[in-house]
Amino acid sequence: MKYENAKDILPASLLREVQKYAEGKAIYIPKRERSKGWGEASGCREKLNKRNALICSRYGAGAGIMELAEEFFLSPESIKKIVYGKKIKLPEYSPTIYSAKQYSDAGIGEEWVRIYLDNEGMDTPDGSEFFLSELVKIPLRLIEDGTGAEAKEESDAYTDKPLIIMFEGHRFRSFCGEEYLALLRKEKKNAHWAFIFVSHKEYSYYLNNFGKQFQRGK
């Protein structure tokens, strides 16, 4: 590294001030930190990126431009710029664990669950009453049998998809896919990936007794 004589660079008044602390010493003056870009400090940019990701995901799932404009309070032109732009790279949706992990890693696991339940003709539980967990691997022995469903015998019955589970009343139960759960039991699976809806009232109990022990979907 090339050294410069401070008297050739610094104003005399500043040089005298520096000499009080480091006279005769070789010192390194670091570069100023790069100022944060717009929205980085406040988190606004991250929120917008996630919002735009949700818009693109809904569009990919079949929602129309006008429908999205009304839902997100944006002009149709703004929606078009978002969904037709090439800057946002979204995970590709499919009813598989691989796709669910991609959505979860991107911080939009709830969007994967919403699309999945929509395709199953089911409503997503109210977010004001239930917290949605990350994608986790849950022991099947913890899940109570609810409907007595039996595993299908068709060749296409086994698909590699997560379970959707509810935790309420200190109990785990299947929210969607009872036949799939029965098939996993028949295949003698010990554990499987799942998204878990947890009652807000029981979140602390869930976290302390189960949430910290479940394997995360990474």
Side-chain angles (χ1 to χ4, degrees), residues 51-69 74-90:
R51 182 207 66 181
N52 291 350
L54 288 177
I55 290 173
C56 289
S57 181
R58 279 173 171 53
Y59 180 77
I65 296 295
M66 292 304 300
E67 179 183 351
L68 293 170
L74 294 172
S75 68
E77 290 72 22
S78 296
I79 295 295
K80 289 179 182 178
K81 289 179 181 178
I82 293 171
V83 299
Y84 296 148
K86 296 182 180 180
K87 294 184 178 180
I88 301 174
K89 294 183 179 180
L90 283 175

Side-chain angles (χ1 to χ4, degrees), residues 1-210:
M1 180 181 292
K2 182 180 178 181
Y3 292 95
E4 300 284 349
N5 192 323
K7 70 178 182 180
D8 296 330
I9 302 174
L10 302 178
S13 58
L14 180 56
L15 176 60
R16 289 193 294 270
E17 192 67 25
V18 172
Q19 286 172 328
K20 293 179 182 179
Y21 301 93
E23 185 174 10
K25 295 181 179 179
I27 61 173
Y28 168 74
I29 301 176
K31 293 181 179 180
R32 289 176 295 179
E33 291 186 4
R34 180 184 68 85
S35 58
K36 292 186 175 181
W38 175 86
E40 290 182 3
S42 65
C44 184
R45 174 175 290 181
E46 181 181 358
K47 291 178 181 178
L48 283 177
N49 286 341
K50 287 189 175 182
R51 182 207 66 181
N52 291 350
L54 288 177
I55 290 173
C56 289
S57 181
R58 279 173 171 53
Y59 180 77
I65 296 295
M66 292 304 300
E67 179 183 351
L68 293 170
E70 294 177 1
E71 181 179 351
F72 289 91
F73 303 100
L74 294 172
S75 68
E77 290 72 22
S78 296
I79 295 295
K80 289 179 182 178
K81 289 179 181 178
I82 293 171
V83 299
Y84 296 148
K86 296 182 180 180
K87 294 184 178 180
I88 301 174
K89 294 183 179 180
L90 283 175
E92 181 177 350
Y93 172 79
S94 64
T96 63
I97 291 173
Y98 176 77
S99 174
K101 284 183 178 180
Q102 287 187 310
Y103 271 76
S104 187
D105 290 346
I108 52 174
E110 68 276 9
E111 178 64 5
W112 187 95
V113 173
R114 187 198 68 80
I115 296 174
Y116 176 76
L117 291 178
D118 278 353
N119 290 341
E120 293 291 322
M122 301 182 68
D123 293 328
T124 303
D126 189 347
S128 65
E129 298 182 11
F130 291 93
F131 164 84
L132 181 63
S133 76
E134 302 174 59
L135 185 65
V136 297
K137 182 168 279 189
I138 176 173
L140 297 185
R141 58 180 171 76
L142 296 178
I143 306 171
E144 294 187 2
D145 291 318
T147 63
E150 296 182 357
K152 290 183 177 180
E153 296 297 335
E154 289 87 347
S155 59
D156 62 346
Y158 185 83
T159 55
D160 192 25
K161 62 185 178 183
L163 295 166
I164 309 296
I165 303 298
M166 296 288 286
F167 182 75
E168 196 173 15
H170 291 188
R171 299 182 301 173
F172 293 95
R173 62 180 177 83
S174 176
F175 178 72
C176 179
E178 288 81 5
E179 293 175 343
Y180 182 56
L181 176 59
L183 179 62
L184 292 172
R185 295 190 192 281
K186 183 178 180 180
E187 295 288 331
K188 300 188 183 301
K189 301 291 184 180
N190 293 321
H192 197 71
W193 295 106
F195 286 104
I196 304 174
F197 284 101
V198 182
S199 167
H200 284 176
K201 298 177 181 179
E202 300 177 58
Y203 176 70
S204 294
Y205 178 90
Y206 164 82
L207 185 63
N208 292 329
N209 290 275
F210 303 103

